[in-house]
Amino acid sequence: MIVNHVPAGWQIIYQQAHALLAAQLLHQWPAFLPSDQWVGLLAAAAQHDDEQQDWSGHYGITPAGAPANFTMKEFSLEQATGVMKAARFQGRWRSLLTSMHLSTLYESLRGQKKQIDTFLDEQRANQKRWLRELHVKKSEAEQAYTLLHWCDRLSLILCRHEIPEMGRAVEIHTGPDGKHYELLQPEPGGPVRVHPWPFQTKQLTVSVEALVLHQLQFKDDAELAAALHEAPIETLRWELMQ
C-alpha cells in the first residue's frame, strides 16, 4: 500500500492501483515497438505490483498501529516469485520486462541471503535466454524497460504527493529517448507540467482510486483490513499539460 497522511486521516492507494496509473501514462507515449510488444509492455506496467501476499504478522500495520507504507515492508521473495510465475502465462516478452524490473529493484540485496542471490541469478540467466530466443537486442529491451521505469516513477510521484511546492521541479527519470525529464506544478492544484513533453497529445488526464481511513490506529491487521473494506473511495485526478 501507498500510505499518505492527510487531514482526514490516512489516504491509502493500493500498489496495484499505482501500477494501473503507470500503464495510463505509458499508454500516452508514442508507440515505438511492434503492436504485440507494445501491448506486452503495457501489461508489464499494469501488473508489475501484482501477487501481493495475504497479510500475516505485522505486514499491514506499524508497531504504533498505523497503516504501513510499502517502503516499510521487507523484500518478499514469495511475491517476487509470484509476479514472475504470473508473467510467464503471458509470454517471454512480458516475462523479460518483468524480470528486468525485479532485477532493478532488488539487485542491491545481493549477498544478504542465499535464496535472494539464487532468485537474482535466475533473473539474469532467464533474461539472457529470452533475449536470445526472441531475437531481441539487449539495447531494445532496455529502451522498452526504461519507459516502464519512467512511468512507474512518475506514478509514484503523483500517488505519494511528491510534487514540490512553490513551482519547483522534481526529476522524474531518464526516458527511453535518453532525455532527462522533470515535473512541476506552477500553481497549487493546477495542471502538472512535464518537461520536455513526451506524450502524444498536448494535455491528458490520469487518475487513481484511493481509500480514506479516518481511524488513525488499529489493533491488528484484521481491524485494518475490515476498515479498508468499508472505507470510502475517492478518485484522484491530475491534468498533465505541455
Side-chain angles (χ1 to χ4, degrees):
M1 304 183 300
I2 296 171
V3 181
N4 297 313
H5 195 192
V6 295
W10 300 112
Q11 181 188 79
I12 308 294
I13 300 173
Y14 290 125
Q15 285 174 269
Q16 294 92 331
H18 134 69
L20 191 61
L21 174 57
Q24 291 179 47
L25 294 163
L26 196 155
H27 180 63
Q28 297 295 333
W29 270 73
F32 54 78
L33 296 168
S35 60
D36 56 345
Q37 290 187 351
W38 190 252
V39 172
L41 178 58
L42 280 167
Q47 299 169 338
H48 74 269
D49 272 334
D50 283 2
E51 305 301 316
Q52 300 294 328
Q53 298 179 64
D54 292 334
W55 285 333
S56 60
H58 290 284
Y59 286 109
I61 60 175
T62 68
N69 190 56
F70 76 97
T71 56
M72 301 175 181
K73 297 177 66 174
E74 295 182 357
F75 166 69
S76 169
L77 182 59
E78 181 180 348
Q79 188 260 343
T81 302
V83 168
M84 285 310 307
K85 286 182 178 179
R88 291 185 185 187
F89 286 104
Q90 292 188 319
R92 291 170 294 179
W93 173 247
R94 160 76 204 285
S95 298
L96 172 62
L97 295 168
T98 302
S99 179
M100 292 173 71
H101 184 61
L102 294 177
S103 291
T104 299
L105 291 179
Y106 302 124
E107 187 63 37
S108 62
L109 301 180
R110 183 177 291 279
Q112 294 187 9
K113 294 182 180 180
K114 183 178 180 180
Q115 298 94 324
I116 297 176
D117 288 356
T118 298
F119 175 80
L120 293 172
D121 289 342
E122 289 174 352
Q123 301 318 304
R124 286 183 175 179
N126 286 336
Q127 288 164 26
K128 290 180 180 179
R129 176 168 58 85
W130 289 325
L131 285 170
R132 183 175 64 253
E133 292 176 352
L134 293 169
H135 305 288
V136 172
K137 295 180 180 177
K138 184 178 179 181
S139 59
E140 295 171 340
E142 288 176 343
Q143 182 187 29
Y145 172 68
T146 298
L147 177 54
L148 189 157
H149 195 176
W150 188 94
C151 294
D152 182 49
R153 170 63 180 148
L154 178 51
S155 175
L156 283 174
I157 291 173
L158 297 175
C159 288
R160 299 179 70 181
H161 301 185
E162 292 179 342
I163 301 175
E165 298 178 346
M166 301 176 65
R168 296 190 297 261
V170 62
E171 182 181 1
I172 301 171
H173 194 266
T174 303
D177 49 9
K179 297 178 181 178
H180 295 280
Y181 289 86
E182 61 182 19
L183 172 153
L184 68 155
Q185 190 173 36
E187 299 180 6
V192 175
R193 309 276 181 173
V194 177
H195 295 296
W197 184 253
F199 302 110
Q200 299 181 76
T201 58
K202 293 184 178 180
Q203 65 182 65
L204 60 132
T205 300
V206 294
S207 66
V208 72
E209 287 193 350
L211 307 176
V212 180
L213 297 176
H214 301 291
Q215 182 177 337
L216 297 181
Q217 290 183 304
F218 302 86
K219 63 182 180 181
D220 53 31
D221 291 331
E223 185 179 20
L224 173 59
L228 288 169
H229 183 72
E230 300 296 332
I233 300 173
E234 62 180 4
T235 300
L236 308 180
R237 300 183 188 279
W238 298 270
E239 183 182 5
L240 277 58
M241 294 185 64
Q242 190 169 2

